[in-house]
């Protein structure tokens, strides 16, 4: 035991040193003295007595206990009082602490306006952060408090209990109201809210931070230097508590994936060259945690192995309780000092042993038992600080890579420093260590993963997942090819049962399996090779993967019947779904797995799970920025089940093609409306009556149209509704026949389809009511029934489409809704005003039939051309009217049929007859009164009237008679004689009008209408052909898939299913952005930009793969040739450089030789001259 005790004392000494606790200087000598032989024997005897007393100690308190029992009673009561006070005052402490956070948000409001203090405290936060760096060494507690307060600024807690809220209001009022300390603790004034809002936004219990978003506060703290503070704390501090608070502050700054904070950290690490030191600290922490885990795992294994021996000893030992109690007292009094360190080293194993022997001893044991149990509970609940710190560290690293930050993902792997620290591999090594791989325990995960460290394992998996997603191919390869057993452990987490944890905390096991499956998917994400998938399949048996998926599905079915499992964070079905998607991705490399995932492949063991997941899994193809295609497999969101068939049919048939022949643009514009409709349909499922009405909307529409037809038949046949006395006078034989017909038609409603059964039923009921209660009451009943039915239809229409949830502007612009509202108004007019209003309801046939709609569109589609042509016709009529008025006024005579006296109606015998000329008053009484009177008498006698005495009458006559007669206006004018002087002019006039107006202009209008109708018919046929022979998404035609591995039907159903793309867009909308995979993040960005380049146009992976093999082979050959050419060029360039160097050396040698030669010549010449 000496080694264990020494390690325990060493640990305690380090903790005491960090916490400033004084320890004896001669501690080592005391430990050595303790382990001398005599002391060792004494300790062993005392430990044996201690164990005996604990095993056989009294179970129940005596009535007259000793002092130890009294002391324990007092301590327990005191602890209860302290706990009660702590629980009572904790909300007050939190509220008071939150006010400090408010002060940090707006410190200038503490001082009067215009004061120097208010102007100087603008940079208070920055100064506080800079001052915190200096406090790390001197004032550790104050440094920790400041770090906690900064983190609290990012914790938006807006609700407090009543006492905390009251205290918070009083403090805020005192600090920010403006009295600056003069107010008392009295009640808060009623004007505080308004005053505080003017001062700085502090109203009620919400602080100023409630008005700002989390991202804004993060950026503010980063601007003041918080990110730099976090890096400095990580690099410089040696205090574990300060280090932990610094990491937690970094997590709070990065929460939500704030990219600005991420780049701030990256700038601190990269540009300011802090990465090497910072990453060294993190790397050392990871290695220290691994070392601690290895030591802990070894101890736990020894403890597990020693349990059986303790059991045997316990069965063989029998000591009286009184003796055990005496030995316990003797131990406490005589050997307390000597066994202090030994008891701390063995307490954990001993308490576990006692727990196994007698579970009741926790509540009924002696005082020492209670203390040991408390120590055991705290030991099991809290991991070693070296291990516990890893969870915030891994969360910090995960948030650095959040939102698939490629630069930081690569930076964690390689910092381009003199010494690089690969934190990606180190994280994988940590997972390998914490799951027990270092002791060869791959098949015994339950021994290493328990309730204490399962959160740390989950965090490790989540961090590794974030390292890979995006995708970051380098990190994927780094994890997949690492020398540790990381991949095998991840696979084992999915395939193996993690017991005993799974027996009482299945939710934790499901979360582990869920994160492990996400990690494997992240390792294979967006890869065009199969290396990682093959590495995963190397140690995985496909049958086990499918069995795990089926077991998760069955657990989900069982959990649906249990109410207590409804609120679980992770549903077993969702875990099974992720495993199914993982298996689907791996099935591309394994034919056996591919066969197992086909529904119906294994009917003996049940296909329900495979069928369920296959029906709730979708697959699409997207195009990346580099124009490469990628296949995505994803779970269909549950809300997509609420999309109605009517909406699918409407979108599929009415989506228009754009100029490029693609329907994607119009389809994408309708996705928001479809998503709102899904949410509305989900909401109305909670209202069974409204859901039932909306589900039968087509039935209400058919009933409404049939009622309108029968009402108008009754109006047409029997109007006016006089009391002729023949109503209800039907013979008994025909009356019985009518009753039989009503009964038969009623029975037809239950046996025939609704449209065919409704019409005979309505006819029989209408005839029976006509001959029973009369025509008038029957029409009222039919009108009231039609009104009620149309109201029901309108409610169903609104219920199906959620019209009122889209805002008043959308309601006004919704023409279908306005049409049905107008229909209801017409029904009311027909019921309460006049029966003739029912005739307008027959126009519903135009709305219901597409052919009639095309007839209307043939006029309205080119309405501008038709109107302009009609204006041209009016201009020509105006010109011909002027010519007729000037030259052919006498020819404009017309035979008329005058009305006789209507004495029956008016009772007047004299009806004044006036000519148009008299009405218009165009003649002068003195000059033409006699003429008009004479002409009127003659015309009245002959039945002929002049129709061009005024220009207006000429225009009306030419427009009315000229356009309606086949030969033009000449058919209604006077037939002139050939002897008349204006005979030739009259012939030219008639022919010009006939050719220009009748033949050319009117036929132009008719031609435009006919051509438009023909175009609409051809467009309809082409549209039907396109729907049958062209892919909705990519626009490829059916013949492109002839003689290919994938047929056209399989392509539009599996690869490019239009509704799968709709489901993926919905998935991006409903999913948490921090949980996006790489492709989901890419598509979400493209949707936000309204960029449709991610849709494949005239492309499909099934076609590209077959056609691209030859191209890839050619590209490989070209690359090989290019590489050989480049190597040859490099060789030639190196040879050329060597040759150049040789030439340079030779030139230098020649120059050197020439210089030496010239010097020797001058020397010889000088010597000869001196001689």
């Amino acid at each position: 035991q000496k080694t264990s005790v020494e390690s325990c004392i060493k640990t305690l000494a380090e903790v005491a040193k960090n916490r400033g606790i004084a320890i004896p200087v001669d501690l080592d000598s005391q430990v050595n003295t303790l382990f001398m032989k005599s002391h060792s024997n004494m300790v062993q005897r005392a430990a044996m007595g201690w164990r005996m007393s604990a095993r056989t100690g009294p179970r129940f308190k005596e009535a007259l206990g000793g002092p130890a029992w009294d002391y324990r009673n007092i301590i327990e009561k005191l602890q209860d009082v302290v706990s009660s006070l702590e629980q009572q005052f904790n909300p007050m402490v939190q509220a008071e602490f939150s006010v400090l956070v408010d002060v940090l948000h707006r410190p200038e409001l503490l001082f009067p306006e215009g004061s120097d203090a208010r102007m100087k405290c603008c940079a208070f936060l920055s100064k506080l952060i800079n001052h915190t760096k200096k406090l790390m060494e001197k004032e550790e507690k104050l440094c920790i408090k400041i770090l906690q307060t900064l983190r609290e600024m990012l914790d938006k807690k807006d609700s407090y209990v009543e006492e905390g809220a009251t205290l918070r209001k009083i403090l805020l009022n005192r600090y920010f109201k403006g009295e600056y300390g003069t107010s008392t603790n009295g009640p808060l004034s009623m004007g505080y809210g308004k005053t505080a809002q003017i001062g700085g936004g502090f109203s009620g219990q919400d602080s100023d931070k409630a008005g700002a978003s989390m991202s804004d506060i993060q950026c503010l703290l980063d601007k003041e230097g918080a990110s730099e503070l976090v890096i400095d704390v990580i690099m410089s501090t040696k205090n574990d508590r300060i280090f932990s608070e610094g990491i937690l502050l970094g997590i709070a700054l990065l929460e939500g994936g704030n990219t600005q904070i991420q780049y701030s950290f990256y700038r601190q690490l990269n540009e300011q060259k802090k990465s090497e030191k910072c990453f060294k600290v993190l790397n050392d922490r990871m290695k220290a945690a691994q070392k601690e885990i290895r030591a802990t795992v070894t101890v736990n294994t020894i403890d597990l192995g020693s349990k059986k021996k303790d059991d045997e000893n316990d069965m063989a030992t029998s000591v009286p309780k009184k003796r055990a109690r005496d030995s316990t007292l003797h131990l406490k009094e005589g050997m307390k000092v000597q066994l202090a360190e030994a008891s701390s080293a063995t307490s954990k194993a001993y308490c576990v042993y006692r727990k196994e022997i007698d579970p009741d001893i926790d509540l009924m044991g002696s005082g020492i038992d209670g203390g040991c149990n408390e120590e055991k509970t705290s030991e099991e609940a809290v991991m070693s600080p070296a291990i516990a710190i890893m969870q915030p560290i891994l969360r910090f690293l995960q948030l650095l890579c959040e939102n698939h930050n490629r630069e930081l993902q690569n930076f964690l792997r390689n910092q381009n420093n003199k010494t690089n620290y690969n934190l990606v591999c180190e994280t994988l090594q940590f997972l390998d260590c914490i799951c027990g791989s270092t002791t060869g325990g791959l098949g015994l995960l339950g021994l290493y993963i328990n309730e204490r460290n399962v959160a740390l394992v989950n965090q490790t998996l989540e961090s590794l997942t974030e390292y890979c997603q995006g995708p970051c191919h380098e990190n994927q390869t780094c994890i997949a090819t690492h020398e540790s057993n990381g991949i095998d452990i991840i696979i084992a987490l999915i395939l193996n049962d993690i017991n005993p944890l799974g027996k009482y905390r299945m939710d934790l096991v499901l979360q582990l399996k869920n994160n492990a499956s996400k990690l494997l998917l992240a390792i294979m994400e967006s890869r065009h090779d199969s290396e990682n998938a093959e590495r995963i399949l190397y140690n995985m048996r496909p049958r086990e993967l499918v069995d795990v998926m089926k077991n998760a599905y069955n657990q989900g079915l069982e959990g649906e019947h249990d109410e207590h499992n409804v609120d679980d964070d992770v549903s077993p079905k969702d875990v099974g779904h992720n495993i199914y998607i993982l298996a689907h991705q791996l099935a591309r490399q394994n034919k056996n797995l591919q066969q197992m995932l086909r529904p119906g492949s294994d009917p003996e063991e049940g296909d329900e799970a495979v069928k369920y997941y296959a029906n709730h899994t979708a697959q699409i193809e997207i195009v990346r920025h580099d124009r490469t295609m990628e296949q995505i497999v994803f779970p269909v969101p549950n809300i997509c089940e609420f999309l109605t068939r009517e909406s699918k049919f409407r979108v599929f048939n009415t989506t228009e093609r754009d100029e490029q022949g693609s329907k994607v643009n119009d389809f994408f514009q309708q996705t928001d409306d479809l998503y709102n409709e899904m949410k509305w349909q989900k909401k109305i499922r909670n209202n069974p009556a409204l859901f039932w009405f909306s589900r039968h909307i087509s039935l209400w529409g058919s009933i409404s149209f049939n009622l309108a037809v029968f009402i108008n038949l009754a109006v047409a046949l029997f109007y006016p509704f006089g009391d002729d006395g023949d109503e209800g006078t039907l013979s008994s034989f025909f009356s019985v026949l009518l009753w039989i017909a009503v009964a038969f038609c009623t029975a037809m409603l239950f046996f025939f389809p609704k449209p065919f059964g409704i019409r005979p039923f309505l006819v029989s009921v209408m005839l029976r009511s006509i001959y029973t209660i009369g025509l008038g009451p029957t029409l009222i009943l039919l009108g009231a029934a039609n009104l009620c039915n149309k109201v029901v239809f309108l409610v169903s229409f609104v219920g199906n489409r959620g019209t009122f949830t889209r805002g008043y502007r959308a309601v006004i612009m919704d023409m279908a809704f306005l049409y049905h509202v107008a229909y209801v108004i017409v029904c009311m007019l027909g019921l309460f005003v006049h029966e003739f209003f029912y005739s307008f309801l027959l126009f519903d046939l135009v709305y219901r039939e597409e052919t009639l709609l095309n007839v209307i569109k043939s006029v309205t589609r080119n309405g501008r051309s038709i109107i302009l042509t009609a204006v041209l016709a009016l201009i020509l009529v105006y010109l011909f009217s002027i010519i007729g008025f000037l030259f052919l006024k006498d020819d404009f005579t017309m035979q008329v049929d005058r009305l006789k006296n209507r004495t029956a109606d008016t009772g007047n015998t004299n009806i004044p007859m006036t000519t148009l000329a008299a009405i218009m008053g165009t003649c002068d009484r003195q000059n033409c009164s006699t003429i008009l009177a004479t002409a009127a008498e003659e015309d009245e006698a002959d039945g002929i009237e002049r129709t061009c005495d005024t220009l207006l009458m000429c225009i009306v006559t030419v427009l009315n008679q000229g356009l309606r007669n086949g030969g033009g206006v000449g058919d209604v004018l006077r037939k002139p004689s050939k002897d008349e002087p204006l005979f030739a002019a009259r012939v030219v006039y008639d022919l010009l009008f006939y050719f220009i107006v009748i033949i050319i202009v009117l036929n132009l209008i008719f031609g435009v209408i006919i051509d438009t109708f023909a175009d609409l018919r051809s467009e309809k046929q082409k549209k039907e052909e396109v729907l049958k022979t062209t892919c909705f998404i990519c626009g490829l035609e059916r013949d492109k898939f002839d003689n290919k591995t994938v047929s056209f039907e399989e392509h539009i159903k599996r690869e490019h299913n239009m509704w799968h793309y709709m489901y993926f867009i919905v998935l991006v909308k409903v999913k948490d952005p921090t949980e996006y995979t790489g492709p989901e993040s890419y598509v979400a960005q493209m949707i936000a930009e309204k960029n449709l380049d991610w849709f494949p146009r005239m492309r499909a992976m099934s076609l590209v793969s077959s056609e691209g093999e030859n191209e890839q082979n050619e590209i490989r050959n070209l690359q090989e040739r290019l590489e050989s050419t480049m190597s040859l060029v490099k060789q030639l360039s190196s040879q050329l450089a060597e040759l150049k160097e040789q030439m340079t050396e030779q030139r230098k040698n020649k120059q050197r030789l020439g210089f030496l030669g010239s010097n020797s010549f001058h020397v010889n010449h000088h010597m000869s001259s001196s001689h």
Side-chain angles (χ1 to χ4, degrees), residues 1157-1170:
S1158 62
N1159 285 341
S1160 61
F1161 173 77
H1162 287 298
V1163 170
N1164 295 331
H1165 179 71
H1166 178 70
M1167 291 176 65
S1168 61
S1169 62
S1170 63

PDB file of all heavy atoms in Angstrom, residues 1157-1170:
ATOM      1  N   GLY A1157      48.821  36.175 -64.899  1.00  0.00           N
ATOM      2  CA  GLY A1157      49.797  36.328 -65.995  1.00  0.00           C
ATOM      3  C   GLY A1157      50.198  37.774 -66.204  1.00  0.00           C
ATOM      4  O   GLY A1157      51.367  38.083 -66.412  1.00  0.00           O
ATOM      5  N   SER A1158      49.259  38.654 -66.170  1.00  0.00           N
ATOM      6  CA  SER A1158      49.572  40.074 -66.368  1.00  0.00           C
ATOM      7  C   SER A1158      50.418  40.617 -65.226  1.00  0.00           C
ATOM      8  O   SER A1158      51.353  41.396 -65.434  1.00  0.00           O
ATOM      9  CB  SER A1158      48.263  40.881 -66.500  1.00  0.00           C
ATOM     10  OG  SER A1158      47.513  40.760 -65.302  1.00  0.00           O
ATOM     11  N   ASN A1159      50.148  40.149 -63.995  1.00  0.00           N
ATOM     12  CA  ASN A1159      50.950  40.608 -62.858  1.00  0.00           C
ATOM     13  C   ASN A1159      52.401  40.133 -62.966  1.00  0.00           C
ATOM     14  O   ASN A1159      53.350  40.885 -62.693  1.00  0.00           O
ATOM     15  CB  ASN A1159      50.335  40.101 -61.542  1.00  0.00           C
ATOM     16  CG  ASN A1159      49.068  40.888 -61.185  1.00  0.00           C
ATOM     17  OD1 ASN A1159      48.867  41.985 -61.704  1.00  0.00           O
ATOM     18  ND2 ASN A1159      48.256  40.320 -60.324  1.00  0.00           N
ATOM     19  N   SER A1160      52.594  38.905 -63.356  1.00  0.00           N
ATOM     20  CA  SER A1160      53.972  38.383 -63.506  1.00  0.00           C
ATOM     21  C   SER A1160      54.727  39.118 -64.610  1.00  0.00           C
ATOM     22  O   SER A1160      55.929  39.407 -64.507  1.00  0.00           O
ATOM     23  CB  SER A1160      53.924  36.881 -63.790  1.00  0.00           C
ATOM     24  OG  SER A1160      53.220  36.649 -65.014  1.00  0.00           O
ATOM     25  N   PHE A1161      54.020  39.496 -65.680  1.00  0.00           N
ATOM     26  CA  PHE A1161      54.677  40.248 -66.761  1.00  0.00           C
ATOM     27  C   PHE A1161      55.143  41.610 -66.265  1.00  0.00           C
ATOM     28  O   PHE A1161      56.270  42.052 -66.545  1.00  0.00           O
ATOM     29  CB  PHE A1161      53.695  40.397 -67.919  1.00  0.00           C
ATOM     30  CG  PHE A1161      54.202  41.289 -69.002  1.00  0.00           C
ATOM     31  CD1 PHE A1161      55.161  40.826 -69.911  1.00  0.00           C
ATOM     32  CD2 PHE A1161      53.754  42.617 -69.113  1.00  0.00           C
ATOM     33  CE1 PHE A1161      55.645  41.670 -70.919  1.00  0.00           C
ATOM     34  CE2 PHE A1161      54.231  43.431 -70.120  1.00  0.00           C
ATOM     35  CZ  PHE A1161      55.168  42.962 -71.027  1.00  0.00           C
ATOM     36  N   HIS A1162      54.282  42.269 -65.493  1.00  0.00           N
ATOM     37  CA  HIS A1162      54.676  43.595 -64.965  1.00  0.00           C
ATOM     38  C   HIS A1162      55.833  43.482 -63.993  1.00  0.00           C
ATOM     39  O   HIS A1162      56.749  44.313 -63.996  1.00  0.00           O
ATOM     40  CB  HIS A1162      53.467  44.260 -64.277  1.00  0.00           C
ATOM     41  CG  HIS A1162      52.452  44.750 -65.255  1.00  0.00           C
ATOM     42  ND1 HIS A1162      52.730  45.722 -66.192  1.00  0.00           N
ATOM     43  CD2 HIS A1162      51.136  44.414 -65.421  1.00  0.00           C
ATOM     44  CE1 HIS A1162      51.647  45.971 -66.912  1.00  0.00           C
ATOM     45  NE2 HIS A1162      50.664  45.197 -66.475  1.00  0.00           N
ATOM     46  N   VAL A1163      55.883  42.453 -63.212  1.00  0.00           N
ATOM     47  CA  VAL A1163      56.988  42.288 -62.248  1.00  0.00           C
ATOM     48  C   VAL A1163      58.307  42.052 -62.982  1.00  0.00           C
ATOM     49  O   VAL A1163      59.346  42.667 -62.685  1.00  0.00           O
ATOM     50  CB  VAL A1163      56.684  41.130 -61.287  1.00  0.00           C
ATOM     51  CG1 VAL A1163      57.894  40.779 -60.451  1.00  0.00           C
ATOM     52  CG2 VAL A1163      55.500  41.507 -60.374  1.00  0.00           C
ATOM     53  N   ASN A1164      58.257  41.202 -63.970  1.00  0.00           N
ATOM     54  CA  ASN A1164      59.488  40.931 -64.738  1.00  0.00           C
ATOM     55  C   ASN A1164      59.974  42.174 -65.470  1.00  0.00           C
ATOM     56  O   ASN A1164      61.178  42.468 -65.545  1.00  0.00           O
ATOM     57  CB  ASN A1164      59.242  39.805 -65.733  1.00  0.00           C
ATOM     58  CG  ASN A1164      58.955  38.469 -65.018  1.00  0.00           C
ATOM     59  OD1 ASN A1164      59.441  38.276 -63.911  1.00  0.00           O
ATOM     60  ND2 ASN A1164      58.193  37.599 -65.656  1.00  0.00           N
ATOM     61  N   HIS A1165      59.038  42.918 -66.006  1.00  0.00           N
ATOM     62  CA  HIS A1165      59.412  44.135 -66.717  1.00  0.00           C
ATOM     63  C   HIS A1165      60.044  45.156 -65.770  1.00  0.00           C
ATOM     64  O   HIS A1165      61.042  45.814 -66.111  1.00  0.00           O
ATOM     65  CB  HIS A1165      58.152  44.717 -67.378  1.00  0.00           C
ATOM     66  CG  HIS A1165      58.426  45.989 -68.115  1.00  0.00           C
ATOM     67  ND1 HIS A1165      59.144  46.030 -69.301  1.00  0.00           N
ATOM     68  CD2 HIS A1165      58.096  47.288 -67.804  1.00  0.00           C
ATOM     69  CE1 HIS A1165      59.246  47.279 -69.712  1.00  0.00           C
ATOM     70  NE2 HIS A1165      58.608  48.072 -68.829  1.00  0.00           N
ATOM     71  N   HIS A1166      59.498  45.240 -64.554  1.00  0.00           N
ATOM     72  CA  HIS A1166      60.045  46.183 -63.574  1.00  0.00           C
ATOM     73  C   HIS A1166      61.468  45.774 -63.154  1.00  0.00           C
ATOM     74  O   HIS A1166      62.365  46.609 -63.019  1.00  0.00           O
ATOM     75  CB  HIS A1166      59.122  46.244 -62.350  1.00  0.00           C
ATOM     76  CG  HIS A1166      59.619  47.152 -61.285  1.00  0.00           C
ATOM     77  ND1 HIS A1166      59.630  48.544 -61.439  1.00  0.00           N
ATOM     78  CD2 HIS A1166      60.141  46.905 -60.049  1.00  0.00           C
ATOM     79  CE1 HIS A1166      60.125  49.115 -60.367  1.00  0.00           C
ATOM     80  NE2 HIS A1166      60.453  48.125 -59.486  1.00  0.00           N
ATOM     81  N   MET A1167      61.671  44.449 -62.957  1.00  0.00           N
ATOM     82  CA  MET A1167      63.010  43.974 -62.560  1.00  0.00           C
ATOM     83  C   MET A1167      64.016  44.197 -63.677  1.00  0.00           C
ATOM     84  O   MET A1167      65.161  44.619 -63.443  1.00  0.00           O
ATOM     85  CB  MET A1167      62.951  42.478 -62.215  1.00  0.00           C
ATOM     86  CG  MET A1167      62.152  42.206 -60.916  1.00  0.00           C
ATOM     87  SD  MET A1167      62.004  40.455 -60.592  1.00  0.00           S
ATOM     88  CE  MET A1167      63.739  40.079 -60.300  1.00  0.00           C
ATOM     89  N   SER A1168      63.589  44.004 -64.893  1.00  0.00           N
ATOM     90  CA  SER A1168      64.532  44.228 -66.013  1.00  0.00           C
ATOM     91  C   SER A1168      64.877  45.705 -66.164  1.00  0.00           C
ATOM     92  O   SER A1168      66.018  46.076 -66.478  1.00  0.00           O
ATOM     93  CB  SER A1168      63.917  43.683 -67.315  1.00  0.00           C
ATOM     94  OG  SER A1168      62.705  44.362 -67.601  1.00  0.00           O
ATOM     95  N   SER A1169      63.927  46.568 -65.958  1.00  0.00           N
ATOM     96  CA  SER A1169      64.189  48.005 -66.067  1.00  0.00           C
ATOM     97  C   SER A1169      65.108  48.504 -64.954  1.00  0.00           C
ATOM     98  O   SER A1169      65.934  49.396 -65.150  1.00  0.00           O
ATOM     99  CB  SER A1169      62.869  48.788 -66.053  1.00  0.00           C
ATOM    100  OG  SER A1169      62.188  48.565 -64.820  1.00  0.00           O
ATOM    101  N   SER A1170      64.996  47.891 -63.753  1.00  0.00           N
ATOM    102  CA  SER A1170      65.861  48.321 -62.646  1.00  0.00           C
ATOM    103  C   SER A1170      67.298  47.876 -62.897  1.00  0.00           C
ATOM    104  O   SER A1170      68.238  48.569 -62.515  1.00  0.00           O
ATOM    105  CB  SER A1170      65.328  47.726 -61.325  1.00  0.00           C
ATOM    106  OG  SER A1170      65.385  46.315 -61.366  1.00  0.00           O
TER     107      SER A1170
END
